[in-house]
Amino acid sequence: MQFEKSTFKYLQDLQKNNNRDWFADHKETYLKAQQNAKDVFAEIHLNLQKHDEIEKSKMMRIYRDVRFSKDKTPYKAHFANSYSRLGKELRGGYFLRIRPGESFLAGGFWEPSKEDLFRIRKEIELDASEIKDILEEKNYKKHFGGKFESFSELKTAPRGFDKEHPDVDLLRKKGFIATKNFTDEEVLSPNFIQEVDKSFKALRPFFNLFSDILTTNLNGERII
């Protein structure tokens, strides 16, 4: 099981012809490419279930919501899938996007709730050593460069936190995400699914620690 060159070719053509008439004229090609992506995402889901508990797998729709966007192109020129971990105790989620020239996977906490973000920040304020240990972990550094990404960050420490805190760079984050980019050649290789699974496995220490933080208070007592 792997991504086919024809699937990539369709996405490349869609990037150049992102309009409803072209999409309608090539609907059959789209359906074949979509099925290929579904099959690959399903195989990745099966692999994840071998070492994690996944509550939901969701393939993103190709249709864009253009109501509030300056970009009025009607379609996403990529295929993407998210995998949510099970329940309140296993936090975090996995994500994979396939787009020619811009493919990547990610995992972590995109937009944590206000309560979860506050709890993470309080942990950082008290003692960020375990979180920083994750960033230095050999396998995490290999796959994710030893850092957390964030969809946005504050310019200074959040309200109520010390602006001079030694870990203010972590306190400023509004999300905690690990990302890894792939070349087109890597995506089209026969072992791509296995490489994705290796990267997802490398997230487990990160997920385990944050799940523990979000299910306990600052005294380490279980709250769920």
Side-chain angles (χ1 to χ4, degrees), residues 189-224:
S189 69
N191 66 338
F192 177 66
I193 290 177
Q194 288 70 37
E195 290 303 312
V196 169
D197 196 54
K198 289 178 184 178
S199 296
F200 283 162
K201 283 180 178 178
L203 288 170
R204 285 306 295 279
F206 168 31
F207 282 167
N208 289 346
L209 175 59
F210 273 61
S211 294
D212 184 58
I213 290 170
L214 293 172
T215 56
T216 60
N217 60 27
L218 287 172
N219 292 321
E221 300 164 334
R222 299 285 293 180
I223 57 175
I224 293 180

Side-chain angles (χ1 to χ4, degrees), residues 117-139:
L117 183 56
F118 181 75
R119 175 65 184 88
I120 293 169
R121 284 172 170 167
K122 292 300 289 185
E123 187 73 21
I124 293 168
E125 179 184 49
L126 180 66
D127 182 4
S129 60
E130 287 186 291
I131 292 175
K132 290 193 288 187
D133 285 346
I134 294 296
L135 300 179
E136 291 298 320
E137 195 268 330
K138 182 178 178 180
N139 211 26

Side-chain angles (χ1 to χ4, degrees), residues 146-159:
K147 60 182 180 180
F148 288 136
E149 305 288 350
S150 181
F151 62 92
S152 64
E153 296 187 5
L154 299 173
K155 293 182 179 180
T156 185
R159 183 179 300 177

Side-chain angles (χ1 to χ4, degrees), residues 37-47 57 81 83:
K38 281 183 177 179
D39 291 343
V40 172
F41 293 149
E43 187 74 15
I44 290 170
H45 185 194
L46 287 175
N47 285 340
S57 171
N81 203 90
Y83 307 89

